[in-house]
């Protein structure tokens, strides 16, 4: 029953979590507001904000778990991928704790952790956990992957985006509509009252299990320009239908490939993960498709979809059991495959 303190600092969220066994005792996330006025994450500002937030965030995570550093058996951090200056803050903090307390250190891969968020046990132990092998569609701000997971720490990417990630497709579409960053959740919000069939955006023809979203972004850009020439209030008057139509196309691109991946591999245990799995349209359509295809579907609890440290803690838990520890020379890396 190891107790693990995990830190996540790969982008613009400073997060800490305490996990004992497979259960999350606390999950604290401080979202950095400083980037809003720039329309995207500014790396140097992210590093500084992590430095300011990390001590209070860890302190709150320990307090909410009703524990202290005395009970912690291992310290974990996100090693990659991410913004290097941001990753360094979490890595050095975890290393310092491990050194000072003479405890093991564990490094987690952020994308692997998004997948393993599906294995977090709820406090009442009533949630279904996928058995191996399973497929996971991981959709975040920087990645879009279909992952074949054959064991806790054995994963293979069998499809991925060739250009923009699904989260970027949401955020860049939102920017075209004049919505603030990050626009994904706002598209979701407006889409709730819109007609998803009102405007037809193209579905790219991409080989195998890979994705592409850059053509969709260009199509949306041209469409909006054209419509605004005819009616300068086009966006304001039709925001719900525009958002619903964009969301519905992004979701259909994702789920058509997931359907193909299931058919090719014969795997019917299917998960989704990552920030975009918080999208209500994706969650609903995924569940409907799963029922139709005879899949067993899994979606992490909402708080474990967008960036968080609970997913780092659960990954570290499995690494602890497998004896996968690091020494203090370990360094973070902006890009690394798993
Ligand atoms: O996994 P995540 O929190 O961070 C990365 O690892 O990138 O994903 C962030 C992405 C952003 O692009 C954000 O717009 C998108 O997830 N996102 C959403 C929703 N919530 C977060 N996209 C669509 N609908 C949402 N409800
Ligand atoms: Zn993420």
């Amino acid at each position: 029953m190891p107790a693990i303190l995990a830190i996540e600092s790969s982008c613009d969220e400073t997060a800490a979590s305490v996990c004992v066994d497979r259960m999350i005792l606390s999950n604290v996330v401080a979202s950095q507001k400083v980037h809003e006025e720039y329309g995207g994450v500014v790396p140097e500002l992210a590093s500084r904000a992590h430095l300011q937030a990390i001590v209070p965030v860890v302190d709150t995570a320990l307090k909410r778990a009703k524990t202290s550093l005395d009970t912690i058996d291992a310290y974990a951090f996100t090693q990659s991928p991410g913004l290097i200056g941001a990753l360094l803050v979490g890595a050095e903090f975890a290393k310092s704790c491990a050194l000072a307390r003479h405890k093991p250190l564990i490094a987690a891969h952020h994308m692997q952790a998004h997948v393993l968020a599906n294995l977090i046990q709820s406090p009442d132990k009533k949630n279904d956990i996928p058995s191996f092998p399973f497929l996971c569609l991981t959709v975040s701000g920087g990645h879009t992957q279909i992952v074949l997971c054959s064991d806790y720490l054995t994963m293979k990417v069998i499809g991925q985006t060739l250009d923009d990630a699904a989260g970027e497709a949401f955020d860049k579409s939102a920017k075209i509509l004049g919505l603030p960053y990050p626009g994904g959740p706002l598209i979701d919000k407006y889409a709730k009252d819109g007609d998803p069939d009102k405007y037809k955006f193209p579905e790219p023809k991409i080989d195998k299990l890979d994705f592409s979203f850059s053509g969709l972004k260009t199509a949306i850009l041209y469409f909006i320009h054209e419509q605004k020439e005819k009616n300068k209030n086009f966006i304001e008057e039709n925001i719900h239908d525009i958002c619903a139509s964009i969301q519905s196309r992004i979701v259909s691109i994702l789920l058509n490939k997931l359907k193909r991946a299931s058919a090719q591999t014969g795997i019917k245990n299917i998960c989704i993960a990552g920030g975009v799995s918080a999208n209500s349209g994706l969650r609903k359509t995924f569940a409907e498709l799963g029922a139709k295809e005879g899949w067993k579907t899994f979606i992490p609890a909402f708080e474990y979809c967008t960036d968080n440290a609970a997913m780092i803690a659960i990954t570290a838990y499995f690494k602890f059991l497998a004896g996968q520890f690091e020494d203090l020379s370990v360094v973070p890396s902006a890009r690394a495959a798993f």
Side-chain angles (χ1 to χ4, degrees):
M1 286 254 288
I4 294 168
L5 172 65
I7 316 277
E8 152 64 35
S9 69
S10 63
C11 193
D12 57 344
E13 253 99 33
T14 316
S17 170
V18 175
C19 128
V20 174
D21 202 0
R22 220 162 147 152
M23 307 252 294
I24 302 301
L25 300 192
S26 63
N27 180 37
V28 178
V29 181
S31 293
Q32 303 177 356
K33 298 277 168 247
V34 61
H35 309 287
E36 270 168 19
E37 63 180 289
Y38 299 97
V41 179
V42 183
E44 182 55 31
L45 295 180
S47 314
R48 290 186 211 177
H50 282 304
L51 277 172
Q52 284 170 341
I54 194 142
V55 172
V57 164
V58 168
D59 197 37
T60 307
L62 288 166
K63 281 193 180 120
R64 285 197 191 153
K66 298 189 174 41
T67 191
S68 73
L69 286 185
D70 295 338
T71 68
I72 301 297
D73 299 305
Y75 294 89
F77 67 97
T78 305
Q79 183 180 20
S80 65
L83 302 169
I84 192 65
L87 288 166
L88 270 167
V89 176
E92 296 310 312
F93 189 92
K95 279 199 226 179
S96 311
C97 293
L99 176 67
R101 296 266 161 174
H102 307 288
K103 295 290 180 191
L105 181 66
I106 299 173
H109 191 286
H110 183 90
M111 299 312 294
Q112 204 168 32
H114 270 306
V115 174
L116 294 177
N118 280 285
L119 302 186
I120 292 173
Q121 188 89 70
S122 67
D124 61 8
K125 298 198 175 178
K126 282 197 176 141
N127 63 323
D128 256 356
I129 302 279
S131 53
F132 301 109
F134 64 77
L135 294 178
C136 184
L137 170 73
T138 320
V139 273
S140 71
H143 295 77
T144 298
Q145 301 177 328
I146 298 179
V147 178
L148 197 167
C149 190
S150 42
D151 204 350
Y152 294 105
L153 301 168
T154 312
M155 299 183 195
K156 189 171 171 220
V157 177
I158 59 170
Q160 59 192 319
T161 184
L162 304 174
D163 41 58
D164 290 348
E168 265 177 301
F170 271 106
D171 296 340
K172 287 180 178 173
S173 304
K175 198 167 182 178
I176 294 169
L177 301 177
L179 300 174
Y181 177 87
L186 287 170
I187 292 200
D188 191 354
K189 188 176 139 203
Y190 286 119
K192 287 193 172 107
D193 302 315
D195 173 3
D197 297 319
K198 181 79 179 279
Y199 308 109
K200 289 276 176 226
F201 295 113
E203 174 155 9
K205 304 269 171 290
I206 303 294
D207 262 4
K208 301 182 194 150
L209 298 175
D210 292 330
F211 303 89
S212 167
F213 289 101
S214 63
L216 174 63
K217 178 189 62 193
T218 311
I220 293 167
L221 184 68
Y222 283 141
F223 170 77
I224 294 294
H225 274 310
E226 230 171 70
Q227 297 300 320
K228 275 179 75 175
E229 275 183 9
K230 292 186 228 159
N231 169 10
K232 68 177 174 31
N233 297 323
F234 175 75
I235 294 178
E236 293 75 9
E237 287 170 11
N238 300 283
I239 188 74
H240 297 283
D241 292 339
I242 301 170
C243 287
S245 302
I246 292 172
Q247 179 169 297
S248 139
R249 177 49 80 214
I250 295 174
V251 168
S252 76
I253 292 173
L254 293 170
L255 293 183
N256 284 342
K257 282 294 163 105
L258 194 55
K259 205 167 131 184
R260 199 196 279 195
S262 169
Q264 267 182 27
T265 57
I267 296 173
K268 286 178 177 281
N269 280 335
I270 318 271
C271 307
I272 56 174
V276 179
S277 65
N279 181 266
S280 55
L282 177 59
R283 292 167 89 93
K284 182 167 171 278
T285 320
F286 172 61
E288 288 166 358
L289 177 67
K292 204 168 124 216
E293 296 287 318
W295 295 348
K296 225 169 166 312
T297 55
F298 304 87
I299 311 178
F302 198 79
E303 61 185 315
Y304 306 138
C305 288
T306 47
D307 282 353
N308 65 87
M311 66 184 196
I312 305 301
I314 192 84
T315 306
Y317 168 72
F318 296 124
K319 288 196 153 194
F320 188 101
L321 297 186
Q324 293 185 18
F325 302 113
E326 307 295 330
D327 64 37
L328 293 170
S329 63
V330 65
V331 286
S333 143
R335 282 169 196 279
F338 60 79

